[in-house]
Amino acid sequence: MTDNVRIDKFISENSEFTRSQTKELIKKGLVKSDGIIIKKSDFKINPDLNRIEVSGNTISYKKDIFILLNKPAGYVCSTDDPDNHTILELLPPELSGKVFPVGRLDKDSEGMIVLTNNGDFSHTILSPRKHIPKFYIVKLAEPFKIKYINLFREGLVLRNGEVCLPAEVRPLENNELWAFIRIEEGKYHQVKRMFASVGNHVDYLFRFCIGSLEIPSKLGIGDYMEIMHKDVEKLLQPPDFNVIFKNLYVHFSSYLINK
Ligand code: URA
């Protein structure tokens, strides 16, 4: 159930009226909740339960939807692709027609992808200026070299000359083919191109965290869940590295170890 919200906020977020226009309408006695005139802008309503009217017209609730999907390999992150299976096929019809993916993972990549119907939110998460960190676990073709740590930290130059923002990379303990990487931007095939620029190759890539929201280890590959406000906020918050690191090994041992 949606939390209670101020009536002026609800109207301005779900109609063409601005917040100040809404306040004026309220003062004029043109706003009703369940048929009762509301005279205070900070009056709290519940969008799922109360029927809000402005000048006799009902304001319909444009509910935001946020889905967390554990993407399997073999699906593309697109809403329409006649040649490939899209991740929308993994959602039930009542959801798949409403949402779109926030960013992309490659067809052969797996892990965390967020889908929403909220364009502003998608824009915020993807904005390079926001520096939202994304965390990946990769399996390399060649053993991890310690020199990668500094090279990635200094800002790698890709083979086509593009310069990357500083990134953090670490080997997984006791396993020289697996590594963990954090980047704060989203260039095309970025992680694969970063490892290619140091002479290695990514054989497998799994995204397990965006901001401070991790994919729950109980969410199997191909499964999805709806996420609520508290978790959506985490996508925009800086991560606690100790927690991320601890959970990295949980993800690894729960389904990546056999890859
Ligand atoms: N970087 C890549 O190279 N591929 C992905 O799918 C995501 C990040």
Side-chain angles (χ1 to χ4, degrees):
M1 158 101 65
T2 310
D3 290 342
N4 288 353
V5 289
R6 285 173 59 125
I7 195 164
D8 58 346
K9 185 167 190 288
F10 172 81
I11 293 172
S12 61
E13 285 177 356
N14 292 279
S15 73
E16 74 279 16
F17 300 115
T18 63
R19 193 86 174 246
S20 53
Q21 286 169 336
T22 304
K23 286 188 200 301
E24 283 305 308
L25 292 163
I26 292 172
K27 271 195 210 149
K28 288 184 184 157
L30 294 171
V31 172
K32 290 182 183 169
S33 171
D34 295 334
I36 296 165
I37 293 176
I38 302 301
K39 284 289 197 156
K40 288 187 149 196
S41 296
D42 62 358
F43 183 81
K44 293 275 175 46
I45 58 119
N46 190 298
D48 288 330
L49 300 177
N50 302 124
R51 188 169 55 85
I52 308 304
E53 288 167 82
V54 175
S55 308
N57 300 313
T58 301
I59 306 292
S60 56
Y61 178 29
K62 298 196 198 89
K63 194 174 179 186
D64 284 342
I65 306 169
F66 293 96
I67 304 289
L68 194 61
L69 171 74
N70 191 347
K71 176 193 174 298
Y75 289 78
V76 293
C77 293
S78 160
T79 49
D80 182 27
D81 183 333
D83 301 323
N84 288 290
H85 288 294
T86 74
I87 55 170
L88 293 180
E89 294 169 37
L90 299 163
L91 303 179
E94 66 270 20
L95 279 177
S96 62
K98 293 186 182 154
V99 294
F100 55 87
V102 179
R104 281 162 197 258
L105 286 173
D106 298 336
K107 185 174 174 183
D108 60 351
S109 298
E110 299 194 322
M112 181 170 181
I113 190 102
V114 175
L115 298 107
T116 184
N117 59 350
N118 183 326
D120 291 343
F121 177 83
S122 170
H123 196 70
T124 307
I125 285 278
L126 298 176
S127 162
R129 269 176 291 148
K130 288 272 174 198
H131 295 285
I132 306 282
K134 298 170 200 91
F135 298 81
Y136 303 85
I137 305 176
V138 290
K139 187 175 191 189
L140 301 170
E142 304 295 330
F144 185 92
K145 294 197 174 84
I146 290 300
K147 70 173 183 186
Y148 297 166
I149 296 175
N150 277 339
L151 288 171
F152 279 62
R153 193 176 285 149
E154 284 158 10
L156 278 178
V157 182
L158 301 178
R159 284 184 170 160
N160 68 348
E162 266 182 273
V163 180
C164 297
L165 290 176
E168 188 182 358
V169 66
R170 301 187 196 178
L172 243 70
E173 262 168 47
N174 305 324
N175 202 324
E176 58 180 5
L177 289 183
W178 286 87
F180 155 80
I181 173 163
R182 174 179 63 90
I183 59 174
E184 292 185 358
E185 53 188 339
K187 299 186 198 299
Y188 181 64
H189 292 328
Q190 179 157 352
V191 174
K192 291 177 184 163
R193 287 160 73 211
M194 288 171 98
F195 280 100
S197 78
V198 293
N200 210 322
H201 178 81
V202 172
D203 279 346
Y204 174 77
L205 181 147
F206 180 87
R207 178 157 69 193
F208 70 98
C209 182
I210 301 176
S212 66
L213 184 69
E214 285 166 66
I215 193 160
S217 54
K218 65 175 194 312
L219 193 71
I221 302 234
D223 292 345
Y224 74 92
M225 61 190 277
E226 191 168 356
I227 53 170
M228 299 297 158
H229 186 71
K230 170 172 69 61
D231 283 333
V232 174
E233 295 268 283
K234 283 192 184 171
L235 291 164
L236 301 168
Q237 285 162 2
D240 176 336
F241 278 93
N242 293 329
V243 175
I244 304 278
F245 243 100
K246 200 168 97 249
N247 292 341
L248 168 73
Y249 285 93
V250 176
H251 291 295
F252 185 69
S253 52
S254 55
Y255 40 65
L256 299 180
I257 200 155
N258 297 320
K259 289 272 176 194

